[in-house]
Amino acid sequence: MNEMTASFPNINPRFQLIASRAIASLRPSLISFLVANRTRLGGNVANPISFCNVLFIGNFCAALSVGFIFGFKGIIRDLLILSPKFQIGLFINGSLSAILSGLIFLGLEYTTVTNAVLLGRLGPVLYAVAGSWVFGRKITKAEWFGFSLIVIGIFTIVFKANMYKINLGDLLIIASSFVYAITSLMDQLMLSKDLTVRVIVFNRNLVSSLIFFVIASSLFGFSHFMNAFSGKLWIIMLVYALFTIVVEQFLWYSALDKLESSVVSRWTSISPIFGVFYAYLLNGERPNQTQLIAFVVTMVGVFIAGLGKGKSKKQEIMIQPECTVSIN
């Protein structure tokens, strides 16, 4: 990750970490805000900010941004010298990223941003459990207890807030947590093989955008994308992709390159605070009593789990993906 270390040489790594979590937590609220104001932002054209347009343009702009910043020639060269096994792995990772983005976008149409932020905490639990098996990392008793509290907070939202019925949006967000855990494991495995971050970020967003384009074109026809060029959509999505996807991901990996995992765990625990604040600021969502209880229980669980970080049999796991609900 040398390119990342060189990108932010004079910025405190703890600040990089907090900034990356603050930016990542902005995505669900920002997407909901864009959808709510789609007609005005799209030049009074009906439905310019649709599921396919946002996911296709957002990911495509992110890939372009990485290409222009680090050079398409160097990235393509790095991709071509990879073995077929890694090239297939990168394609699968990009495909899963497309599924992840789709689940979150659709979920936000049926549930609140606050619910999505809190339900997204299931991702680190799934990642930790799967990582303990894949990387040989022992989960401590404190972590198990913390994870249990997180799950209790999540099920408080799913059942209590919906009168003990499973809301479709909440179900989609929970499903996205499973996909997120898989992609996070793949990211760590690929980074452990010295694949550069620029290649992973570029490939993930490019493959995702192509998949969205092919699926939408097959289902709805090419005319479905005509409104993608309406109003300020391209400019908005370019800024969105550059700031909330590219900058956030590179800040995140740069911080991971310099900080110990115990430090990372402590500071990333504040992510839900950002998410709930953005939901109120951009979407006017005031957490109800059930959400507040779930928030407190979840945050206590996150804090306790952070106190019990164990070590791998071979080495301490340095890459600990943070499951902040995101569309990228």
Side-chain angles (χ1 to χ4, degrees):
M1 285 183 285
N2 292 331
E3 77 267 23
M4 288 313 307
T5 305
S7 298
F8 307 102
N10 300 317
I11 301 178
N12 186 294
R14 285 181 175 81
F15 178 80
Q16 294 177 26
L17 187 66
I18 295 173
S20 73
R21 298 306 88 204
I23 295 172
S25 300
L26 175 63
R27 292 185 196 131
S29 295
L30 186 56
I31 287 294
S32 293
F33 176 82
L34 292 175
V35 171
N37 295 274
R38 65 181 74 183
T39 302
R40 178 168 58 86
L41 295 173
N44 295 321
V45 174
N47 255 358
I49 303 180
S50 64
F51 170 82
C52 298
N53 287 350
V54 170
L55 296 181
F56 164 63
I57 296 175
N59 284 274
F60 187 65
C61 286
L64 288 178
S65 298
V66 176
F68 282 118
I69 293 172
F70 293 98
F72 290 98
K73 185 177 180 180
I75 294 175
I76 293 174
R77 182 186 64 245
D78 290 346
L79 281 170
L80 292 178
I81 63 176
L82 293 175
S83 66
K85 178 177 68 175
F86 284 115
Q87 291 177 348
I88 294 173
L90 284 171
F91 179 80
I92 294 174
N93 192 39
S95 301
L96 289 173
S97 178
I99 296 173
L100 172 64
S101 301
L103 288 171
I104 294 172
F105 192 101
L106 291 174
L108 287 171
E109 292 187 357
Y110 299 98
T111 192
T112 65
V113 175
T114 302
N115 272 18
V117 169
L118 297 178
L119 292 172
R121 300 307 305 171
L122 180 62
V125 176
L126 296 173
Y127 169 77
V129 174
S132 68
W133 177 68
V134 175
F135 301 108
R137 178 183 179 277
K138 182 180 179 180
I139 300 179
T140 65
K141 292 181 179 179
E143 286 180 300
W144 279 120
F145 182 62
F147 294 159
S148 298
L149 289 178
I150 292 173
V151 173
I152 289 173
I154 290 171
F155 278 97
T156 298
I157 294 175
V158 173
F159 293 106
K160 176 66 175 177
N162 299 309
M163 301 301 292
Y164 303 99
K165 296 180 181 179
I166 299 180
N167 177 282
L168 176 60
D170 293 342
L171 190 61
L172 290 172
I173 297 298
I174 291 174
S176 74
S177 295
F178 284 87
V179 179
Y180 188 94
I182 296 173
T183 59
S184 297
L185 287 172
M186 292 190 67
D187 280 342
Q188 183 161 358
L189 288 170
M190 288 187 292
L191 285 170
S192 68
K193 302 299 182 180
D194 294 327
L195 291 179
T196 59
V197 177
R198 65 180 182 181
V199 167
I200 295 175
V201 176
F202 175 81
N203 177 84
R204 168 179 291 195
N205 289 287
L206 181 62
V207 171
S208 295
S209 65
L210 292 176
I211 288 176
F212 288 130
F213 181 80
V214 170
I215 292 176
S217 297
S218 301
L219 294 177
F220 309 112
F222 183 75
S223 59
H224 182 73
F225 291 97
M226 295 304 294
N227 289 339
F229 300 93
S230 302
K232 307 178 182 67
L233 180 59
W234 266 92
I235 298 175
I236 292 170
M237 294 313 301
L238 181 60
V239 174
Y240 166 84
L242 180 62
F243 181 66
T244 68
I245 298 179
V246 178
V247 173
E248 180 275 320
Q249 289 180 3
F250 280 104
L251 280 170
W252 171 247
Y253 285 115
S254 179
L256 288 177
D257 193 37
K258 302 169 186 174
L259 297 175
E260 295 182 358
S261 60
S262 59
V263 177
V264 172
S265 175
R266 288 197 298 271
W267 286 102
T268 54
S269 64
I270 64 176
S271 294
I273 299 175
F274 288 119
V276 172
F277 172 73
Y278 292 141
Y280 171 75
L281 184 65
L282 293 178
N283 313 113
E285 292 186 10
R286 294 177 179 271
N288 56 39
Q289 185 178 16
T290 300
Q291 289 173 328
L292 285 174
I293 294 174
F295 175 76
V296 172
V297 172
T298 300
M299 290 304 298
V300 171
V302 169
F303 176 76
I304 293 175
L307 295 177
K309 290 296 177 183
K311 289 186 177 181
S312 169
K313 294 177 181 177
K314 296 182 179 180
Q315 63 179 3
E316 189 177 41
I317 296 179
M318 293 301 297
I319 307 297
Q320 298 183 41
E322 170 71 14
C323 188
T324 302
V325 176
S326 60
I327 299 180
N328 60 32

